[in-house]
Amino acid sequence: MGNNHSFDVIVVGAGIAGLTASYVLAKKGFSVGLVESKPRSLIGTKPCGDAIGLHHFEALGWFPPQDTIDTKFKGVKIVSPSEEHSLIVYGEGVGIDSRKFYQWLLKQGLEEGVELLDNHTLVSVKVKDDKVEAVLVKEKGRPGLKEIYAKAFIDASGATPALRSKLPREWPISERPYMSDYNIAYREVLELEEPIASEDKDYAIIYLNQEIAPGGYWWLFPKRNGVIGNIGLGVIWSPTSPNPRNNYYKYLKNRFKGKLIDAGGGLVPTRRPLPTLVWRNVGVVGDAAYTVNPVHGGGKGSSMQAATIVATHIANALEEGRVNEETLWGANKEYIKAYGAKQAGLDILRMYLQKLSNEDLEFILRKKIVSGEAVYELGTHGKLRDEIIRSLRIALALVSRPGLLNQLRVVKKFMDDAEKLYLEKYPEHPSELNKWIKDVEYLWSKYRSLIGFKLGPKVPW
Ligand SMILES: Cc1cc2nc3c(=O)[nH]c(=O)nc-3n(C[C@H](O)[C@H](O)[C@H](O)COP(=O)(O)OP(=O)(O)OC[C@H]3O[C@@H](n4cnc5c(N)ncnc54)[C@H](O)[C@@H]3O)c2cc1C
């Protein structure tokens, strides 16, 4: 780093969100310091399923280079608990080689002038005059702390946010979530003794099973023509939830034999986004801002979208010479339109799905209550459209399950209300944010009590 202890922007975390944000800012000519705990060579090694829907890249307007792609998926196959019934949701995606892709993204940033401070861990934040003035970082193997100053800061430090958790409690971006807002996941990457069957190798396969993966699912994502399998599971996080690694060993280890390439896990936020991605001179992106899809837990694509939006607004505010929530507010509006409102609707659906039993899930897939197209619609727009409810009504009347139909009506109403609250009622100005947060909390708590969803304790950080 030399003696330069000051940048236009400090980005904390060189995951997919931080790499994207730092690249966008450097390309616009700003000086960017990218602070990352890991050494440079390990950037891109975060345990993940590595599946990304192509629609995210379409929204970004660029695509990953061919040599960073391991697999192309035609869609997602959803399998019932007995594994006798399934549903295909068409929609193209890619399985990326994360390490190659992140290293490529990092190189793009470095070429634009990003200064990588790898082996540097943020340990503290200096707030002065109601703004973040500097971050205090510890370099591995060196005594003492360094103070790094900047005009703006981006927290891209992942599911256990390092920067925003140290900000004044009255700043809305310092919000502490609940454990049940997360899944805890574990996965192994194997070179399989028996390659994945040819009819399955073009799909990301999701297995619904509340015994193996309570409040989540287990997955098999084929790579390299089915020779490699990315296999894992996620469970809803609580003080009593099973360790996903134990469940992997109990239910899946013997089923998939082969040479272990990688193993690991982590937390996945599965909720609506942080109420604001910006406050004072700080932006929050990626898992730190819960930009993950609440139903399937995919967060890489939306991390890149959020990072691009927030970084662009920070760049504009820096040009204007005023970086605060007022000048950055448009980032919230843009993100909500691009993805956040859909997340809000899907957060409502996810709590309902987490409460379904294996019998319910089996019934829905066996009786073909929902079609692949309906799930695609749901996944793309986050909405249970009227046509879906109409066809469900017919399907459910035929099998005489009025209880399920009534529940789905409730879920649909709350999904619509949630989306409206985000798309139509999101505050025009930061001064109205607290009132809006109360409206959101009111809607969510009404829904939770209707479906009997317990939030449980807050996270330990
Ligand atoms: C097991 C598993 C499977 C998943 N499968 C998929 C999938 O198939 N598809 C998909 O799209 N998403 C998936 N996700 C979610 C996805 O991985 C995340 O949404 C995404 O990687 C988030 O990126 P990020 O940049 O926000 O955070 P991260 O990738 O977590 O990056 C944060 C970075 O910040 C660094 N950092 C943290 N604290 C500090 C500090 N104090 N100082 C300096 N640096 C720090 C970390 O070292 C890390 O490099 C999965 C997640 C898990 C856990």
Side-chain angles (χ1 to χ4, degrees):
M1 187 168 72
N3 292 323
N4 187 358
H5 284 241
S6 161
F7 294 89
D8 289 325
V9 187
I10 282 289
V11 177
V12 183
I16 200 158
L19 290 168
T20 307
S22 53
Y23 167 69
V24 168
L25 282 155
K27 196 170 163 53
K28 287 178 184 286
F30 296 98
S31 66
V32 183
L34 177 58
V35 175
E36 169 56 54
S37 305
K38 292 178 193 158
R40 178 172 172 172
S41 62
L42 292 185
I43 290 174
T45 55
K46 176 196 176 351
C48 186
D50 296 331
I52 309 181
L54 274 191
H55 61 97
H56 290 293
F57 292 106
E58 278 152 16
L60 287 163
W62 57 270
F63 291 86
Q66 277 303 321
D67 69 336
T68 65
I69 295 175
D70 275 336
T71 308
K72 288 194 174 152
F73 295 120
K74 289 183 188 158
V76 177
K77 185 170 172 180
I78 303 173
V79 182
S80 75
S82 71
E83 298 180 27
E84 281 170 20
H85 307 283
S86 63
L87 168 79
I88 289 184
V89 186
Y90 288 99
E92 284 180 318
V94 287
I96 52 160
D97 179 326
S98 276
R99 196 166 186 154
K100 270 195 193 162
F101 179 61
Y102 282 44
Q103 291 286 336
W104 170 80
L105 209 47
L106 172 65
K107 195 163 156 272
Q108 306 300 303
L110 296 175
E111 281 172 10
E112 296 293 344
V114 170
E115 196 167 325
L116 175 67
L117 306 166
D118 62 343
N119 290 314
H120 282 69
T121 297
L122 177 144
V123 290
S124 177
V125 178
K126 230 173 134 176
V127 177
K128 197 180 160 199
D129 299 333
D130 217 20
K131 280 179 111 175
V132 175
E133 186 185 37
V135 287
L136 276 75
V137 298
K138 169 94 182 70
E139 185 177 0
K140 204 173 164 198
R142 297 242 175 147
L145 296 179
K146 288 180 195 172
E147 278 186 9
I148 314 179
Y149 291 77
K151 295 178 191 141
F153 296 81
I154 295 185
D155 189 354
S157 58
T160 48
L163 196 163
R164 74 172 182 86
S165 59
K166 296 176 181 64
L167 295 176
R169 281 282 173 245
E170 57 281 11
W171 293 16
I173 40 171
S174 70
E175 180 198 88
R176 275 166 68 223
Y178 291 85
M179 288 175 86
S180 59
D181 282 331
Y182 292 78
N183 254 218
I184 181 159
Y186 175 80
R187 70 97 177 87
E188 294 197 344
V189 182
L190 299 172
E191 194 177 319
L192 295 163
E193 272 173 21
E194 221 175 281
I196 295 160
S198 62
E199 70 270 20
D200 277 346
K201 70 178 172 47
D202 297 329
Y203 298 97
I205 312 172
I206 284 179
Y207 293 84
L208 304 176
N209 192 316
Q210 296 281 24
E211 188 186 341
I212 300 176
Y217 60 84
W218 75 269
W219 71 85
L220 167 60
F221 294 169
K223 287 194 160 202
R224 309 236 178 100
N225 232 1
V227 176
I228 291 179
N230 181 313
I231 303 151
L233 66 98
V235 308
I236 189 168
W237 195 30
S238 83
T240 55
S241 55
N243 179 330
R245 186 174 181 275
N246 292 348
N247 275 23
Y248 183 92
Y249 272 73
K250 186 167 167 191
Y251 296 103
L252 304 175
K253 188 75 184 165
N254 286 333
R255 189 164 162 176
F256 298 99
K257 296 216 163 63
K259 194 174 123 210
L260 185 67
I261 300 172
D262 192 28
L267 288 172
V268 190
T270 50
R271 51 159 282 168
R272 60 201 182 278
L274 197 61
T276 172
L277 307 186
V278 293
W279 203 256
R280 303 297 189 248
N281 58 339
V282 182
V284 188
V285 295
D287 282 9
Y290 334 119
T291 52
V292 177
N293 180 308
V295 169
H296 61 55
K300 281 186 158 19
S302 41
S303 285
M304 289 187 281
Q305 285 183 255
T308 304
I309 292 169
V310 169
T312 305
H313 282 265
I314 287 183
N316 295 343
L318 282 167
E319 252 158 39
E320 210 185 287
R322 248 171 17 107
V323 188
N324 58 38
E325 62 271 22
E326 282 179 23
T327 56
L328 298 175
W329 202 244
N332 285 323
K333 291 273 198 189
E334 208 179 312
Y335 179 71
I336 283 172
K337 209 165 158 223
Y339 207 71
K342 168 173 146 173
Q343 272 184 262
L346 291 180
D347 189 20
I348 295 286
L349 179 65
R350 146 322 262 191
M351 287 185 263
Y352 176 70
L353 295 176
Q354 285 177 321
K355 290 193 68 72
L356 288 179
S357 64
N358 268 359
E359 289 70 38
D360 289 332
L361 295 166
E362 189 67 32
F363 175 83
I364 290 167
L365 283 151
R366 179 165 52 93
K367 293 286 181 185
K368 304 199 186 311
I369 300 291
V370 279
S371 65
E373 291 75 32
V375 180
Y376 178 79
E377 271 286 324
L378 194 58
T380 319
H381 304 294
K383 282 185 91 153
L384 271 173
R385 296 226 317 229
D386 290 335
E387 297 92 279
I388 301 179
I389 289 289
R390 261 199 297 280
S391 60
L392 281 175
R393 189 180 304 151
I394 297 163
L396 289 165
L398 283 175
V399 292
S400 46
R401 284 284 293 257
L404 199 56
L405 180 60
N406 285 336
Q407 287 166 12
L408 282 167
R409 279 208 193 104
V410 170
V411 175
K412 177 184 159 44
K413 181 192 171 304
F414 277 87
M415 283 178 77
D416 289 350
D417 288 353
E419 206 198 358
K420 209 182 267 171
L421 203 48
Y422 275 71
L423 267 186
E424 293 171 22
K425 307 266 173 65
Y426 192 78
E428 291 302 324
H429 189 268
S431 59
E432 298 150 18
L433 182 68
N434 275 341
K435 185 190 170 299
W436 180 82
I437 291 175
K438 285 203 180 85
D439 292 345
V440 170
E441 278 167 5
Y442 178 73
L443 183 73
W444 258 255
S445 72
K446 207 162 110 191
Y447 174 68
R448 281 194 306 267
S449 66
L450 259 176
I451 66 161
F453 187 95
K454 300 258 176 319
L455 271 180
K458 287 211 166 185
V459 297
W461 58 82

